[in-house]
Amino acid sequence: MTTTAQTSLPPTARQPLDMDGLAWILFGHAAFQYLNAAVETELLDELVKTPGVTKEELAERLSLQERAIDILLLGTTAMGLTVKENDRYRLADVLKELTATEDWQRFKDTVGFEQYVVYEGQLDFTESLRTNTNVGLRRVRGTGRDLYHRLSENPHMEAVFYRYMRSWSELANRHLVDALDLGDARALLDCGGGDAVNSIALAAANSHLRATVFEIPESSVITQKKIAEAGLAERVDVIAGDMFADPFPGGHDVILFAHQLVIWTLEENTRLLAKAYEALPEGGKLVIFNSMSNDEGDGPVVAALDSVYFAAIPAEGGMIYSWKQHEECLQKAGFGEFERIDVPGWTPHGIIIATK
Ligand SMILES: C[S@@+](CC[C@H](N)C(=O)[O-])C[C@H]1O[C@@H](n2cnc3c(N)ncnc32)[C@H](O)[C@@H]1O
């Protein structure tokens, strides 16, 4: 007999909400804790290795007491992460498919980020809305002016953050590599480029391209290490600095803001884009790569949910802005011509390419 879990998900703006959907939202925090525990106890990986195990076998393999495995399997099965057939457990089909790909580790890295970087600070979401600033940063130890300047003061959080950032980029940046025609480009500037994940992917795909990652000094050590590991130190380098306070390094005909313009206010974004416009030659390209919300302001759901983090934690402003909002900033910064590229997949990634 198969136990059919009731897994109807919270509806989107295009389906009316019912009581089951409302209950999913009410207990959404608990749903995530089941997912996180299923990852951290290695329940999901165990079911990849041996599908069709009993509860008793799982308890032994995961070193969990009877009550603990009862709770975990009740939750994962009720939510549809696991399926119970004749007292044996297997992964849901969606997870089975995901675990067979490289995106499985990327997904788990995202779970870790939600648990260890996002979760606690979101308690201050309401206060962040009321005061229009990131009140949740107070829950991150340290004195840095924003989350990024506090990461080096929190080594575990820093490791979780950059592991996730790399994975979140890699979930979508193959589309960036495909969409960006860099045949005529010489040098790319990757503003706030993190551990160089996107510069590395673009340089690897364009053998003539040089790339410079512009990163804060505290994180540039990680950037340097990842570039060396990728064997690209001859074509990808790092400049440590502050993209708000310091001039943009010159000599680049493409400037990339990847997962960057979701952090700051629209005024700050316009300032950054205007600096980029000044730094680019005629015909140079400006590329925005991050999650996008739709112009109607009602989705997609992941863009809406991710905005809680950007409102509450990293910096004073930020949210998953709409395509239109980015385009308005580009226009104010001087750009007249731009193209939208929708990225397929479950993440709400999009690309805007503007030409000077
Ligand atoms: C959300 S992460 C994105 C990293 C990378 N672009 C990616 O897509 O994976 C934002 C990055 O911007 C960097 N950053 C924040 N403020 C900065 C500043 N003022 N100047 C330069 N980089 C900055 C952070 O250190 C962090 O690595």
Side-chain angles (χ1 to χ4, degrees):
M1 192 191 88
T2 303
T3 307
T4 312
Q6 183 235 320
T7 55
S8 62
L9 283 170
T12 66
R14 286 168 177 76
Q15 288 165 255
L17 185 66
D18 60 12
M19 241 0 257
D20 288 337
L22 193 56
W24 260 101
I25 298 170
L26 176 62
F27 286 98
H29 57 100
F32 172 74
Q33 287 305 326
Y34 271 119
L35 173 63
N36 184 61
V39 169
E40 290 193 330
T41 59
E42 298 187 12
L43 168 67
L44 302 180
D45 283 322
E46 193 54 48
L47 291 175
V48 176
K49 274 189 262 165
T50 32
V53 270
T54 63
K55 181 176 80 178
E56 292 69 28
E57 286 165 332
L58 279 170
E60 199 184 319
R61 286 172 198 203
L62 307 184
S63 304
L64 291 178
Q65 307 274 317
E66 191 179 351
R67 188 181 64 91
I69 196 75
D70 278 345
I71 297 169
L72 185 59
L73 289 173
L74 167 65
T76 58
T77 309
M79 292 194 306
L81 294 170
T82 51
V83 177
K84 187 180 177 194
E85 284 167 343
N86 300 320
D87 289 333
R88 294 185 173 272
Y89 292 86
R90 65 169 173 83
L91 283 181
D93 290 344
V94 64
L95 279 168
K96 199 174 156 204
E97 282 164 28
L98 184 61
T99 54
T101 71
E102 287 187 350
D103 283 352
W104 175 228
Q105 186 56 48
R106 296 172 182 142
F107 183 84
K108 287 194 290 184
D109 293 341
T110 306
V111 172
F113 168 75
E114 296 298 326
Q115 172 78 357
Y116 294 106
V117 182
V118 177
Y119 211 78
E120 196 182 334
Q122 290 196 342
L123 288 171
D124 290 318
F125 180 50
T126 310
E127 200 49 24
S128 300
L129 293 178
R130 286 207 177 105
T131 54
N132 200 30
T133 193
N134 57 327
V135 179
L137 183 66
R138 68 181 173 176
R139 295 174 194 268
V140 179
R141 204 164 48 88
T143 52
R145 68 180 199 240
D146 54 35
L147 173 69
Y148 311 102
H149 288 85
R150 289 191 191 187
L151 288 176
S152 57
E153 299 175 79
N154 296 275
H156 175 252
M157 193 182 262
E158 183 181 56
V160 169
F161 178 86
Y162 279 107
R163 204 178 301 136
Y164 151 77
M165 215 46 255
R166 166 161 288 258
S167 287
W168 188 249
S169 281
E170 286 177 345
L171 280 168
N173 72 4
R174 55 186 165 270
H175 302 288
L176 180 69
V177 169
D178 288 347
L180 259 188
D181 179 359
L182 296 174
D184 294 333
R186 288 177 301 108
L188 174 138
L189 180 66
D190 185 359
C191 280
D195 75 352
V197 55
N198 297 305
S199 282
I200 288 170
L202 290 165
N206 296 276
S207 57
H208 63 285
L209 187 74
R210 302 189 66 82
T212 298
V213 178
F214 196 16
E215 232 331 306
I216 59 173
E218 293 87 339
S219 298
S220 61
V221 186
I222 299 172
T223 320
Q224 200 83 60
K225 185 166 158 263
K226 287 291 181 184
I227 294 168
E229 278 174 18
L232 282 167
E234 283 189 4
R235 285 193 293 126
V236 184
D237 61 4
V238 193
I239 291 184
D242 179 338
M243 65 185 170
F244 286 104
D246 300 331
F248 282 6
H252 299 92
D253 43 14
V254 184
I255 299 184
L256 171 67
F257 289 99
H259 304 113
Q260 191 58 238
L261 304 184
V262 288
I263 302 170
W264 316 108
T265 63
L266 290 173
E267 293 72 28
E268 287 168 323
N269 285 351
T270 303
R271 263 175 57 209
L272 288 173
L273 292 170
K275 271 176 92 165
Y277 186 85
E278 283 308 310
L280 281 171
E282 210 57 46
K285 289 198 185 327
L286 185 295
V287 183
I288 300 173
F289 171 56
N290 51 233
S291 296
M292 307 277 178
S293 57
N294 63 33
D295 290 344
E296 293 76 32
D298 64 4
V301 171
V302 176
L305 297 179
D306 203 14
S307 290
V308 177
Y309 162 70
F310 287 107
I313 303 165
E316 184 195 339
M319 65 175 284
I320 304 300
Y321 293 114
S322 67
W323 298 85
K324 196 169 64 183
Q325 285 172 305
H326 286 301
E327 288 164 354
E328 283 166 2
C329 292
L330 282 165
Q331 245 158 355
K332 284 186 194 153
F335 293 93
E337 207 187 296
F338 23 78
E339 178 194 357
R340 291 183 184 190
I341 298 159
D342 219 338
V343 170
W346 65 270
T347 70
H349 274 94
I351 302 165
I352 300 178
I353 303 174
T355 308
K356 175 165 171 180

